[in-house]
Amino acid sequence: MAPFQILNGTAAAAPAAAAATPDVSFPADYPNSVRHFLLIGFLGMFIGAIVFFYLGVSRKTNTVTHVLTFFIAAVAAIAYYAMWSGLGVEFKTTDSTPRVIFWARYVDWAITTPLILVDLALLSKTDTPTIISLVGNDLLMVLCGLIGALTVAPYKYCWWVAGLAFFIVVVTTLIQRLNNAEGYGGDALKGLSWLTIIAWIVYPVVWIVGSEGSGALGLSQEVGIITLTDMVAKLGFGFYLLANLETPGSDEEPLNSSSQQYV
């Protein structure tokens, strides 16, 4: 059985024991569409990082938000280039059928998703304990997804459920604490929070039907959906955030008191 057929998901119904494990190497054995999607992801994030960097340094005074937004795109660009060149990917043969696991995604998410949450927290002037709670639960969510991706059924689904639980905590915190009564961040905060929530919902859904989970979704479709979602969740988020960034001097306002009540 050709590696290309397995990677495209056309051999998903065949038991692993029915055929010898093919000799697979990356990026040579990527389907063309997978390489294209990964290249699109890299180029998009790379260009976005350059634009975010320029928007920051061209200001009279750079801001933490500009710096964080640049790092979000830069880290994602590095991850996509690594995956495109065959790094950060594993051909998992211990599951019911061979799977392609892009573990570089999780390294990317472990760095960029906390930065996105910090951007939102800065916009709403959230207190430090709330930021720590958001980042901590987010890291646990990503870690559970990674461990599950490298584990076999039925254990991997337990890790998925655990990651989903941490995701619900993050979403609840975003809704209840960051959309504050004081109005810090205004409509931009609400729009960015919902953009983040809706985009991030895609990840556990693709996990459960993609290579990490049931394998029902073809590899090309999985990579394409994740790439598009990443670009919305990072580049779309960044451009929308910077376009609605408050004027200098707003940092002198007090912390979000509706968030402080949880200290």
PDB file of all heavy atoms in Angstrom, residues 176-202:
ATOM      1  N   GLN A 176     -17.036  35.942  31.009  1.00  0.00           N
ATOM      2  CA  GLN A 176     -17.472  36.506  32.283  1.00  0.00           C
ATOM      3  C   GLN A 176     -16.571  37.615  32.806  1.00  0.00           C
ATOM      4  O   GLN A 176     -17.045  38.523  33.482  1.00  0.00           O
ATOM      5  CB  GLN A 176     -17.584  35.402  33.332  1.00  0.00           C
ATOM      6  CG  GLN A 176     -18.689  34.401  33.050  1.00  0.00           C
ATOM      7  CD  GLN A 176     -18.817  33.371  34.157  1.00  0.00           C
ATOM      8  OE1 GLN A 176     -17.978  33.278  35.048  1.00  0.00           O
ATOM      9  NE2 GLN A 176     -19.884  32.582  34.107  1.00  0.00           N
ATOM     10  N   ARG A 177     -15.283  37.554  32.516  1.00  0.00           N
ATOM     11  CA  ARG A 177     -14.357  38.478  33.160  1.00  0.00           C
ATOM     12  C   ARG A 177     -13.774  39.527  32.231  1.00  0.00           C
ATOM     13  O   ARG A 177     -13.490  40.642  32.673  1.00  0.00           O
ATOM     14  CB  ARG A 177     -13.217  37.703  33.817  1.00  0.00           C
ATOM     15  CG  ARG A 177     -13.725  36.663  34.816  1.00  0.00           C
ATOM     16  CD  ARG A 177     -12.582  36.021  35.561  1.00  0.00           C
ATOM     17  NE  ARG A 177     -13.067  34.988  36.477  1.00  0.00           N
ATOM     18  CZ  ARG A 177     -12.297  34.298  37.290  1.00  0.00           C
ATOM     19  NH1 ARG A 177     -11.001  34.532  37.312  1.00  0.00           N
ATOM     20  NH2 ARG A 177     -12.802  33.379  38.085  1.00  0.00           N
ATOM     21  N   LEU A 178     -13.608  39.188  30.961  1.00  0.00           N
ATOM     22  CA  LEU A 178     -12.962  40.150  30.080  1.00  0.00           C
ATOM     23  C   LEU A 178     -13.954  41.131  29.468  1.00  0.00           C
ATOM     24  O   LEU A 178     -13.606  42.262  29.179  1.00  0.00           O
ATOM     25  CB  LEU A 178     -12.186  39.426  28.979  1.00  0.00           C
ATOM     26  CG  LEU A 178     -11.006  38.574  29.469  1.00  0.00           C
ATOM     27  CD1 LEU A 178     -10.212  38.064  28.293  1.00  0.00           C
ATOM     28  CD2 LEU A 178     -10.105  39.372  30.402  1.00  0.00           C
ATOM     29  N   ASN A 179     -15.179  40.708  29.229  1.00  0.00           N
ATOM     30  CA  ASN A 179     -16.203  41.627  28.744  1.00  0.00           C
ATOM     31  C   ASN A 179     -16.766  42.363  29.950  1.00  0.00           C
ATOM     32  O   ASN A 179     -17.800  42.014  30.500  1.00  0.00           O
ATOM     33  CB  ASN A 179     -17.291  40.868  27.984  1.00  0.00           C
ATOM     34  CG  ASN A 179     -16.766  40.294  26.683  1.00  0.00           C
ATOM     35  OD1 ASN A 179     -16.033  40.958  25.971  1.00  0.00           O
ATOM     36  ND2 ASN A 179     -17.116  39.065  26.387  1.00  0.00           N
ATOM     37  N   ASN A 180     -16.066  43.401  30.359  1.00  0.00           N
ATOM     38  CA  ASN A 180     -16.273  44.021  31.658  1.00  0.00           C
ATOM     39  C   ASN A 180     -17.313  45.121  31.629  1.00  0.00           C
ATOM     40  O   ASN A 180     -17.570  45.735  30.592  1.00  0.00           O
ATOM     41  CB  ASN A 180     -14.937  44.586  32.159  1.00  0.00           C
ATOM     42  CG  ASN A 180     -14.328  45.531  31.140  1.00  0.00           C
ATOM     43  OD1 ASN A 180     -14.611  46.716  31.144  1.00  0.00           O
ATOM     44  ND2 ASN A 180     -13.492  45.004  30.229  1.00  0.00           N
ATOM     45  N   ALA A 181     -17.880  45.386  32.809  1.00  0.00           N
ATOM     46  CA  ALA A 181     -18.915  46.410  32.957  1.00  0.00           C
ATOM     47  C   ALA A 181     -18.369  47.819  32.744  1.00  0.00           C
ATOM     48  O   ALA A 181     -19.108  48.730  32.367  1.00  0.00           O
ATOM     49  CB  ALA A 181     -19.549  46.300  34.340  1.00  0.00           C
ATOM     50  N   GLU A 182     -17.064  48.019  33.000  1.00  0.00           N
ATOM     51  CA  GLU A 182     -16.473  49.341  32.845  1.00  0.00           C
ATOM     52  C   GLU A 182     -16.363  49.771  31.385  1.00  0.00           C
ATOM     53  O   GLU A 182     -16.164  50.938  31.082  1.00  0.00           O
ATOM     54  CB  GLU A 182     -15.069  49.391  33.470  1.00  0.00           C
ATOM     55  CG  GLU A 182     -15.067  49.274  34.985  1.00  0.00           C
ATOM     56  CD  GLU A 182     -15.099  47.828  35.446  1.00  0.00           C
ATOM     57  OE1 GLU A 182     -15.309  46.935  34.587  1.00  0.00           O
ATOM     58  OE2 GLU A 182     -14.921  47.588  36.642  1.00  0.00           O
ATOM     59  N   GLY A 183     -16.459  48.823  30.498  1.00  0.00           N
ATOM     60  CA  GLY A 183     -16.393  49.143  29.075  1.00  0.00           C
ATOM     61  C   GLY A 183     -15.004  49.208  28.497  1.00  0.00           C
ATOM     62  O   GLY A 183     -14.822  49.666  27.367  1.00  0.00           O
ATOM     63  N   TYR A 184     -13.978  48.754  29.242  1.00  0.00           N
ATOM     64  CA  TYR A 184     -12.620  48.733  28.699  1.00  0.00           C
ATOM     65  C   TYR A 184     -12.576  47.819  27.469  1.00  0.00           C
ATOM     66  O   TYR A 184     -13.027  46.691  27.502  1.00  0.00           O
ATOM     67  CB  TYR A 184     -11.622  48.219  29.735  1.00  0.00           C
ATOM     68  CG  TYR A 184     -11.450  49.119  30.934  1.00  0.00           C
ATOM     69  CD1 TYR A 184     -11.212  48.586  32.200  1.00  0.00           C
ATOM     70  CD2 TYR A 184     -11.514  50.498  30.816  1.00  0.00           C
ATOM     71  CE1 TYR A 184     -11.043  49.410  33.301  1.00  0.00           C
ATOM     72  CE2 TYR A 184     -11.348  51.329  31.906  1.00  0.00           C
ATOM     73  CZ  TYR A 184     -11.117  50.779  33.154  1.00  0.00           C
ATOM     74  OH  TYR A 184     -10.955  51.595  34.242  1.00  0.00           O
ATOM     75  N   GLY A 185     -11.993  48.322  26.417  1.00  0.00           N
ATOM     76  CA  GLY A 185     -11.909  47.536  25.181  1.00  0.00           C
ATOM     77  C   GLY A 185     -13.088  47.732  24.266  1.00  0.00           C
ATOM     78  O   GLY A 185     -12.979  47.536  23.057  1.00  0.00           O
ATOM     79  N   GLY A 186     -14.245  48.092  24.828  1.00  0.00           N
ATOM     80  CA  GLY A 186     -15.437  48.382  24.044  1.00  0.00           C
ATOM     81  C   GLY A 186     -15.873  47.255  23.132  1.00  0.00           C
ATOM     82  O   GLY A 186     -15.711  46.064  23.435  1.00  0.00           O
ATOM     83  N   ASP A 187     -16.418  47.626  21.988  1.00  0.00           N
ATOM     84  CA  ASP A 187     -16.900  46.644  21.020  1.00  0.00           C
ATOM     85  C   ASP A 187     -15.752  45.825  20.433  1.00  0.00           C
ATOM     86  O   ASP A 187     -15.948  44.673  20.035  1.00  0.00           O
ATOM     87  CB  ASP A 187     -17.661  47.345  19.897  1.00  0.00           C
ATOM     88  CG  ASP A 187     -18.983  47.939  20.369  1.00  0.00           C
ATOM     89  OD1 ASP A 187     -19.522  47.437  21.376  1.00  0.00           O
ATOM     90  OD2 ASP A 187     -19.455  48.902  19.735  1.00  0.00           O
ATOM     91  N   ALA A 188     -14.566  46.433  20.366  1.00  0.00           N
ATOM     92  CA  ALA A 188     -13.415  45.701  19.835  1.00  0.00           C
ATOM     93  C   ALA A 188     -13.103  44.487  20.692  1.00  0.00           C
ATOM     94  O   ALA A 188     -12.818  43.403  20.181  1.00  0.00           O
ATOM     95  CB  ALA A 188     -12.194  46.621  19.761  1.00  0.00           C
ATOM     96  N   LEU A 189     -13.165  44.648  22.008  1.00  0.00           N
ATOM     97  CA  LEU A 189     -12.903  43.534  22.912  1.00  0.00           C
ATOM     98  C   LEU A 189     -13.921  42.421  22.722  1.00  0.00           C
ATOM     99  O   LEU A 189     -13.563  41.240  22.662  1.00  0.00           O
ATOM    100  CB  LEU A 189     -12.908  44.015  24.366  1.00  0.00           C
ATOM    101  CG  LEU A 189     -12.779  42.915  25.422  1.00  0.00           C
ATOM    102  CD1 LEU A 189     -11.423  42.229  25.308  1.00  0.00           C
ATOM    103  CD2 LEU A 189     -12.978  43.492  26.823  1.00  0.00           C
ATOM    104  N   LYS A 190     -15.183  42.812  22.626  1.00  0.00           N
ATOM    105  CA  LYS A 190     -16.224  41.798  22.434  1.00  0.00           C
ATOM    106  C   LYS A 190     -16.047  41.072  21.108  1.00  0.00           C
ATOM    107  O   LYS A 190     -16.150  39.840  21.040  1.00  0.00           O
ATOM    108  CB  LYS A 190     -17.598  42.457  22.508  1.00  0.00           C
ATOM    109  CG  LYS A 190     -17.931  43.018  23.878  1.00  0.00           C
ATOM    110  CD  LYS A 190     -19.311  43.666  23.910  1.00  0.00           C
ATOM    111  CE  LYS A 190     -19.608  44.235  25.304  1.00  0.00           C
ATOM    112  NZ  LYS A 190     -20.938  44.891  25.360  1.00  0.00           N
ATOM    113  N   GLY A 191     -15.762  41.834  20.057  1.00  0.00           N
ATOM    114  CA  GLY A 191     -15.560  41.202  18.755  1.00  0.00           C
ATOM    115  C   GLY A 191     -14.365  40.275  18.737  1.00  0.00           C
ATOM    116  O   GLY A 191     -14.431  39.161  18.203  1.00  0.00           O
ATOM    117  N   LEU A 192     -13.254  40.712  19.334  1.00  0.00           N
ATOM    118  CA  LEU A 192     -12.046  39.888  19.375  1.00  0.00           C
ATOM    119  C   LEU A 192     -12.236  38.649  20.241  1.00  0.00           C
ATOM    120  O   LEU A 192     -11.732  37.567  19.925  1.00  0.00           O
ATOM    121  CB  LEU A 192     -10.873  40.724  19.890  1.00  0.00           C
ATOM    122  CG  LEU A 192     -10.336  41.771  18.925  1.00  0.00           C
ATOM    123  CD1 LEU A 192      -9.442  42.771  19.653  1.00  0.00           C
ATOM    124  CD2 LEU A 192      -9.564  41.105  17.792  1.00  0.00           C
ATOM    125  N   SER A 193     -12.955  38.815  21.363  1.00  0.00           N
ATOM    126  CA  SER A 193     -13.206  37.664  22.242  1.00  0.00           C
ATOM    127  C   SER A 193     -14.029  36.607  21.520  1.00  0.00           C
ATOM    128  O   SER A 193     -13.698  35.415  21.565  1.00  0.00           O
ATOM    129  CB  SER A 193     -13.934  38.124  23.511  1.00  0.00           C
ATOM    130  OG  SER A 193     -13.134  38.987  24.272  1.00  0.00           O
ATOM    131  N   TRP A 194     -15.083  37.036  20.834  1.00  0.00           N
ATOM    132  CA  TRP A 194     -15.918  36.064  20.118  1.00  0.00           C
ATOM    133  C   TRP A 194     -15.212  35.495  18.896  1.00  0.00           C
ATOM    134  O   TRP A 194     -15.401  34.317  18.554  1.00  0.00           O
ATOM    135  CB  TRP A 194     -17.253  36.698  19.732  1.00  0.00           C
ATOM    136  CG  TRP A 194     -18.191  36.809  20.894  1.00  0.00           C
ATOM    137  CD1 TRP A 194     -18.609  37.938  21.533  1.00  0.00           C
ATOM    138  CD2 TRP A 194     -18.805  35.711  21.588  1.00  0.00           C
ATOM    139  NE1 TRP A 194     -19.447  37.611  22.574  1.00  0.00           N
ATOM    140  CE2 TRP A 194     -19.585  36.255  22.639  1.00  0.00           C
ATOM    141  CE3 TRP A 194     -18.771  34.326  21.431  1.00  0.00           C
ATOM    142  CZ2 TRP A 194     -20.321  35.465  23.518  1.00  0.00           C
ATOM    143  CZ3 TRP A 194     -19.500  33.532  22.310  1.00  0.00           C
ATOM    144  CH2 TRP A 194     -20.267  34.103  23.327  1.00  0.00           C
ATOM    145  N   LEU A 195     -14.380  36.289  18.240  1.00  0.00           N
ATOM    146  CA  LEU A 195     -13.579  35.771  17.135  1.00  0.00           C
ATOM    147  C   LEU A 195     -12.673  34.655  17.634  1.00  0.00           C
ATOM    148  O   LEU A 195     -12.560  33.588  16.998  1.00  0.00           O
ATOM    149  CB  LEU A 195     -12.740  36.895  16.527  1.00  0.00           C
ATOM    150  CG  LEU A 195     -11.685  36.470  15.485  1.00  0.00           C
ATOM    151  CD1 LEU A 195     -12.365  35.918  14.245  1.00  0.00           C
ATOM    152  CD2 LEU A 195     -10.782  37.644  15.121  1.00  0.00           C
ATOM    153  N   THR A 196     -12.037  34.880  18.782  1.00  0.00           N
ATOM    154  CA  THR A 196     -11.150  33.876  19.358  1.00  0.00           C
ATOM    155  C   THR A 196     -11.916  32.623  19.758  1.00  0.00           C
ATOM    156  O   THR A 196     -11.501  31.494  19.444  1.00  0.00           O
ATOM    157  CB  THR A 196     -10.427  34.461  20.594  1.00  0.00           C
ATOM    158  OG1 THR A 196      -9.655  35.600  20.190  1.00  0.00           O
ATOM    159  CG2 THR A 196      -9.520  33.428  21.240  1.00  0.00           C
ATOM    160  N   ILE A 197     -13.032  32.791  20.432  1.00  0.00           N
ATOM    161  CA  ILE A 197     -13.822  31.641  20.888  1.00  0.00           C
ATOM    162  C   ILE A 197     -14.301  30.799  19.709  1.00  0.00           C
ATOM    163  O   ILE A 197     -14.150  29.572  19.692  1.00  0.00           O
ATOM    164  CB  ILE A 197     -15.017  32.111  21.738  1.00  0.00           C
ATOM    165  CG1 ILE A 197     -14.527  32.708  23.064  1.00  0.00           C
ATOM    166  CG2 ILE A 197     -15.987  30.965  21.995  1.00  0.00           C
ATOM    167  CD1 ILE A 197     -15.589  33.439  23.845  1.00  0.00           C
ATOM    168  N   ILE A 198     -14.884  31.459  18.710  1.00  0.00           N
ATOM    169  CA  ILE A 198     -15.427  30.721  17.560  1.00  0.00           C
ATOM    170  C   ILE A 198     -14.320  30.011  16.786  1.00  0.00           C
ATOM    171  O   ILE A 198     -14.469  28.857  16.378  1.00  0.00           O
ATOM    172  CB  ILE A 198     -16.217  31.680  16.647  1.00  0.00           C
ATOM    173  CG1 ILE A 198     -17.471  32.188  17.379  1.00  0.00           C
ATOM    174  CG2 ILE A 198     -16.610  30.997  15.344  1.00  0.00           C
ATOM    175  CD1 ILE A 198     -18.203  33.300  16.659  1.00  0.00           C
ATOM    176  N   ALA A 199     -13.188  30.711  16.580  1.00  0.00           N
ATOM    177  CA  ALA A 199     -12.078  30.086  15.853  1.00  0.00           C
ATOM    178  C   ALA A 199     -11.518  28.901  16.622  1.00  0.00           C
ATOM    179  O   ALA A 199     -11.237  27.844  16.045  1.00  0.00           O
ATOM    180  CB  ALA A 199     -10.982  31.119  15.590  1.00  0.00           C
ATOM    181  N   TRP A 200     -11.370  29.071  17.939  1.00  0.00           N
ATOM    182  CA  TRP A 200     -10.785  27.994  18.738  1.00  0.00           C
ATOM    183  C   TRP A 200     -11.698  26.780  18.860  1.00  0.00           C
ATOM    184  O   TRP A 200     -11.218  25.677  19.136  1.00  0.00           O
ATOM    185  CB  TRP A 200     -10.415  28.521  20.125  1.00  0.00           C
ATOM    186  CG  TRP A 200      -9.211  29.409  20.130  1.00  0.00           C
ATOM    187  CD1 TRP A 200      -8.610  29.983  19.047  1.00  0.00           C
ATOM    188  CD2 TRP A 200      -8.452  29.823  21.272  1.00  0.00           C
ATOM    189  NE1 TRP A 200      -7.527  30.735  19.442  1.00  0.00           N
ATOM    190  CE2 TRP A 200      -7.403  30.667  20.802  1.00  0.00           C
ATOM    191  CE3 TRP A 200      -8.560  29.580  22.641  1.00  0.00           C
ATOM    192  CZ2 TRP A 200      -6.478  31.248  21.651  1.00  0.00           C
ATOM    193  CZ3 TRP A 200      -7.632  30.167  23.485  1.00  0.00           C
ATOM    194  CH2 TRP A 200      -6.598  30.986  23.001  1.00  0.00           C
ATOM    195  N   ILE A 201     -13.000  26.946  18.668  1.00  0.00           N
ATOM    196  CA  ILE A 201     -13.914  25.800  18.690  1.00  0.00           C
ATOM    197  C   ILE A 201     -13.574  24.824  17.573  1.00  0.00           C
ATOM    198  O   ILE A 201     -13.772  23.611  17.700  1.00  0.00           O
ATOM    199  CB  ILE A 201     -15.376  26.287  18.582  1.00  0.00           C
ATOM    200  CG1 ILE A 201     -15.824  26.935  19.896  1.00  0.00           C
ATOM    201  CG2 ILE A 201     -16.323  25.132  18.223  1.00  0.00           C
ATOM    202  CD1 ILE A 201     -17.208  27.570  19.831  1.00  0.00           C
ATOM    203  N   VAL A 202     -13.043  25.354  16.479  1.00  0.00           N
ATOM    204  CA  VAL A 202     -12.715  24.496  15.332  1.00  0.00           C
ATOM    205  C   VAL A 202     -11.656  23.460  15.702  1.00  0.00           C
ATOM    206  O   VAL A 202     -11.713  22.304  15.249  1.00  0.00           O
ATOM    207  CB  VAL A 202     -12.223  25.359  14.153  1.00  0.00           C
ATOM    208  CG1 VAL A 202     -11.751  24.477  12.992  1.00  0.00           C
ATOM    209  CG2 VAL A 202     -13.321  26.307  13.695  1.00  0.00           C
TER     210      VAL A 202
END
